[in-house]
């Protein structure tokens, strides 16, 4: 008589591919916006000047 199979609860968690890819893609997109946000054409207008200045301050703080 064979012994019954024990449940293996080793904490092995399998993530779906999008559970890793989606946050990585969003992080890459936001990082790209932070790095190149002040050189964009839309950031040169007077309406977007405060946003451009904020991005420049964040960029200066993160990238010495």
């Amino acid at each position: 008589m064979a012994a019954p199979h024990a449940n293996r609860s080793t904490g092995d968690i399998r993530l779906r591919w999008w559970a890793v890819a989606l946050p990585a893609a969003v992080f890459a997109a936001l990082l790209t916006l932070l790095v190149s946000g002040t050189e964009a054409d839309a950031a040169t207008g007077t309406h977007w000047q405060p946003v451009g200045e904020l991005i420049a301050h964040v960029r200066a703080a993160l990238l010495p």
Side-chain angles (χ1 to χ4, degrees), residues 3-14:
H5 294 285
N7 289 336
R8 295 182 186 182
S9 60
T10 59
D12 186 22
I13 298 174
R14 302 186 84 188

Side-chain angles (χ1 to χ4, degrees), residues 3-60:
H5 294 285
N7 289 336
R8 295 182 186 182
S9 60
T10 59
D12 186 22
I13 298 174
R14 302 186 84 188
L15 294 176
R16 297 191 182 268
W17 65 269
W18 52 264
V20 176
L22 186 61
V26 170
F27 176 76
L30 290 175
L31 187 62
T32 302
L33 285 174
L34 282 175
V35 170
S36 65
T38 56
E39 289 89 19
D41 291 335
T44 60
T46 58
H47 180 69
W48 291 101
Q49 187 174 2
V51 176
E53 291 176 2
L54 176 66
I55 292 173
H57 287 297
V58 171
R59 182 180 180 193

